[in-house]
Amino acid sequence: MPEEDFVFVPTPVLAFLARFLPDRATLSLDAWQVDDTAAQITLHVISTPSGVPCPLCHVRTSRVHSRYTRTVADLPWGAYAVRWQLRMRKFFCDNPACPRQIFTERAPTVVAPWARRTLRLAQLLIAYGVALGGEAGTRLTARLGLRTSPTTLLRLVRAAPTPHDAAPQVIGVDEWAWRRGQRYGTILVNLEDHRVLDLLPERSAAAVAAWLTQYPTIAVVCRDRSALYAEGIRQGTPQAVQVVDRFHLVKNLREAVEAFLHDQRAALQAAAALTVQALTVVAGPVSTPRMYRGRHQCSQAWQQRQEAARQQRQAAWVTTYEATHTLHTQGTPVTTIAQQLGISRPTVYAYLRRTRPPSPRSPQRSGQVLRPYMAYVIQRWRELRAQGYSHSARTVSRFITRLRRASEAGWAPETQTSPYTRPQGPSARAVSFTWVCPAVKRSQDAQLYVDQLRQVDQAIGQAYTLSQAFLALVRERQGDALEAWMAKAAASGIEALARFAQGLQEDLAAVKAGLTLPWSNGPVEGHVNRLKLLKRQGYGRADVGLLRQRVLQVA
Ligand SMILES: [Zn+2]
């Protein structure tokens, strides 16, 4: 914008400065002074209302008893700290019926009684304290010209009023660790607007009951499986419907599955071997010798044998490819195709993704084709040694072979770190997580592994089917079908699942409500994770009061 478009007003400086006071209806600026050495601006501010109500009887009065001066800090102006000499008054109460004879006027929109800083400065400091904590908050406020200390910042945060939800109706309660494995607290969240209602320093039935009694509006409480919270809720809000959170139901099921799989070590290992095999069917047997064969192996007979084997593999791939596509075009289900051709379902999918048969790889002399890249490979090899790798080139070569196989199977190179293909197989714990994870969210190697594992052992297959049926109840919220499922689990002969069903029986009403009502503690879990982050930032120094403020102020 060109300069001549501005209209400059030759305002007297006091009228100009007064624009920056927080409440110009009740304050006026009388004088100002600048101390350049101390980088300090002092404003003389006067409280102006001619009549004020008595705080006790609320009758207005204008008879001044006396005046006094308060010094309060305000927002800085650039490098200059700003403070006010605030002239306030004491008034006589003229109401003869009022026991109060003299009172001090208040400026509730500007400064709290007894406070040493204006409200707007205090709010700014609280915002920094909440966001950053004492130390980091003070470092940043210092750069903005705000003079404070970590202790002051945290004291302000601790004393700040918290937002208050008067009538929550649907809430979630859960534990959170404020010293991992040692001390637990309780978090309460409004499940309708996802805001944190409160953070209690302990995890006990009594604390939860005492908190709940304050809110007769609560109609639904979502909780974990602990008897402790169940009891607290029963005491505090007997009228509320208790709902077991679906997250915890799935967690308990996963624990049961893990316990079951612990005794299936051999099957877990066998399934890993089958997974590798299923993968090899797609990519063809690995011609690893080609990659590191020595000169003595390069006899003509050897080469002929290699070539014959290669042609055989190629022919088998083409046959499988064509059969897969023909059956698929005829509308044959993938499972049937897999059974008929004796390959796994993922392998069927891998073939279907291809638009032409796997192409033959012509035998190549590695030296010739690699020549343009040799300088690069030598450089990378040196870098690998420089990073501390001291093992053989053969190991690297084997890894690269696996990468190639993976890439031919349509896998990401990262799957080479997959626990599902290692010789000892994955842990029972890892498998249990995959097991309860929705199929669409499983990684390709995990899915392939689960498919193999189910077929290794009949009991495992049965346990899998049973747990998937339970997960379907959870996801589709079919509380009505719960008891039928429990009967099946109890009769299954799979002890871990029978025990799980028995546990559900002991908390049946709340579990059924969890499988029927739409509420879940998803928002609570989100907040619990955020708490972990806050503690990692070193925010509260294990100070629950501060952590509570931080959580409630931001929520
Ligand atoms: Zn009065």
Side-chain angles (χ1 to χ4, degrees):
M1 195 186 282
E3 202 175 314
E4 49 271 25
D5 283 4
F6 287 111
V7 179
F8 287 102
V9 185
T11 315
V13 71
L14 277 181
F16 172 70
L17 288 176
R19 288 175 168 267
F20 299 102
L21 294 180
D23 186 351
R24 290 159 69 197
T26 62
L27 299 177
S28 87
L29 182 59
D30 187 46
W32 58 277
Q33 188 253 333
V34 177
D35 180 344
D36 281 312
T37 322
Q40 171 89 54
I41 298 172
T42 306
L43 303 177
H44 200 244
V45 179
I46 299 170
S47 175
T48 52
S50 54
V52 293
C54 162
L56 200 63
C57 68
H58 305 294
V59 170
R60 292 184 80 83
T61 174
S62 56
R63 201 151 63 89
V64 175
H65 167 272
S66 58
R67 293 173 200 276
Y68 68 101
T69 302
R70 288 172 67 179
T71 304
V72 293
D74 192 29
L75 300 175
W77 191 359
Y80 288 83
V82 174
R83 71 175 178 198
W84 299 358
Q85 298 286 356
L86 179 58
R87 286 290 276 174
M88 301 287 282
R89 297 158 294 181
K90 285 184 179 174
F91 287 90
F92 291 107
C93 179
D94 286 332
N95 175 5
C98 180
R100 182 72 66 85
Q101 291 180 328
I102 300 162
F103 65 90
T104 303
E105 71 174 323
R106 301 277 165 94
T109 57
V110 176
V111 61
W114 313 112
R116 287 157 57 196
R117 47 184 68 77
T118 58
L119 282 182
R120 62 184 186 182
L121 174 58
Q123 280 157 4
L124 191 68
L125 291 175
I126 289 166
Y128 279 109
V130 162
L132 299 167
E135 301 292 338
T138 306
R139 279 197 296 276
L140 191 61
T141 52
R143 293 191 61 173
L144 296 167
L146 298 163
R147 294 167 194 177
T148 185
S149 70
T151 320
T152 307
L153 210 54
L154 294 184
R155 186 171 48 74
L156 283 171
V157 170
R158 218 179 258 117
T162 50
H164 186 68
D165 190 340
Q169 294 183 25
V170 182
I171 71 159
V173 54
D174 205 350
E175 63 178 30
W176 60 279
W178 60 284
R179 204 164 288 163
R180 205 183 146 89
Q182 288 179 33
R183 292 200 66 174
Y184 288 89
T186 298
I187 185 171
L188 299 128
V189 174
N190 185 330
L191 291 183
E192 289 179 298
D193 62 11
H194 298 187
R195 285 163 178 268
V196 178
L197 289 162
D198 214 338
L199 215 54
L200 309 180
E202 52 182 304
R203 171 172 143 256
S204 69
V208 169
W211 189 90
L212 289 170
T213 359
Q214 305 170 76
Y215 300 98
T217 50
I218 293 173
V220 175
V221 185
C222 206
R223 61 159 166 87
D224 61 10
R225 300 284 306 281
S226 77
L228 193 141
Y229 283 144
E231 178 57 22
I233 298 163
R234 205 188 51 71
Q235 287 174 15
T237 48
Q239 80 283 356
V241 174
Q242 297 197 23
V243 177
V244 167
D245 174 47
R246 291 188 288 280
F247 171 87
H248 286 99
L249 283 176
V250 174
K251 180 170 169 267
N252 293 151
L253 174 71
R254 188 202 64 72
E255 287 158 356
V257 168
E258 184 183 345
F260 166 69
L261 290 175
H262 258 302
D263 302 331
Q264 312 284 342
R265 196 60 256 168
L268 292 179
Q269 201 170 345
L274 287 171
T275 303
V276 174
Q277 254 178 41
L279 181 59
T280 316
V281 172
V282 184
V286 184
S287 48
T288 29
R290 252 201 328 191
M291 298 199 65
Y292 50 81
R293 65 186 185 223
R295 199 180 302 154
H296 66 278
Q297 285 178 308
C298 293
S299 69
Q300 207 167 6
W302 183 84
Q303 281 188 358
Q304 277 167 1
R305 276 201 310 279
Q306 285 290 300
E307 179 57 21
R310 196 182 58 77
Q311 281 174 3
Q312 227 168 32
R313 284 198 303 273
Q314 171 66 19
W317 292 341
V318 173
T319 312
T320 314
Y321 169 84
E322 281 166 359
T324 309
H325 278 262
T326 309
L327 288 170
H328 185 65
T329 319
Q330 290 165 357
T332 316
V334 168
T335 319
T336 316
I337 300 180
Q339 280 165 0
Q340 286 186 6
L341 298 181
I343 54 180
S344 74
R345 282 195 306 125
T347 308
V348 173
Y349 283 118
Y351 270 109
L352 289 177
R353 272 197 301 274
R354 287 181 175 270
T355 52
R356 64 175 68 107
S359 56
R361 278 187 297 274
S362 55
Q364 292 156 337
R365 294 194 180 281
S366 61
Q368 273 167 25
V369 285
L370 194 60
R371 186 154 296 135
Y373 309 99
M374 274 179 178
Y376 179 84
V377 172
I378 291 167
Q379 182 57 30
R380 294 288 90 82
W381 174 247
R382 284 193 183 129
E383 283 170 14
L384 195 61
R385 306 289 289 195
Q387 285 187 27
Y389 180 78
S390 58
H391 301 274
S392 69
R394 190 183 157 118
T395 303
V396 176
S397 158
R398 246 187 253 123
F399 177 69
I400 288 170
T401 305
R402 288 218 311 275
L403 282 186
R404 180 171 56 74
R405 262 198 285 168
S407 115
E408 281 166 3
W411 293 18
E414 288 73 20
T415 58
Q416 286 316 294
T417 52
S418 163
Y420 299 104
T421 51
R422 58 182 190 188
Q424 73 272 34
S427 66
R429 186 176 161 79
V431 178
S432 71
F433 275 102
T434 299
W435 187 292
V436 301
C437 166
V440 288
K441 288 188 183 169
R442 287 176 194 155
S443 64
Q444 229 173 338
D445 54 333
Q447 180 60 53
L448 188 54
Y449 179 84
V450 169
D451 287 345
Q452 305 300 325
L453 181 63
R454 289 169 59 187
Q455 287 160 22
V456 164
D457 180 279
Q458 202 206 335
I460 295 181
Q462 193 194 355
Y464 185 81
T465 310
L466 257 177
S467 11
Q468 295 306 308
F470 182 79
L471 292 169
L473 296 187
V474 173
R475 287 177 192 132
E476 290 153 30
R477 292 215 301 277
Q478 299 171 338
D480 289 342
L482 174 66
E483 277 153 296
W485 183 89
M486 285 161 56
K488 257 193 216 166
S492 68
I494 297 162
E495 206 202 319
L497 289 182
R499 262 203 316 270
F500 172 70
Q502 180 57 39
L504 298 180
Q505 181 65 46
E506 285 157 16
D507 200 8
L508 189 60
V511 171
K512 242 180 145 167
L515 293 186
T516 311
L517 299 175
W519 307 108
S520 103
N521 269 356
V524 184
E525 298 305 321
H527 283 296
V528 169
N529 286 332
R530 211 157 60 80
L531 274 176
K532 284 182 200 156
L533 253 171
L534 289 182
K535 283 184 300 167
R536 224 171 290 155
Q537 285 170 5
Y539 178 81
R541 304 162 176 169
D543 179 333
V544 179
L546 275 176
L547 205 55
R548 175 176 180 275
Q549 279 292 32
R550 164 86 194 245
V551 169
L552 295 186
Q553 294 284 347
V554 177

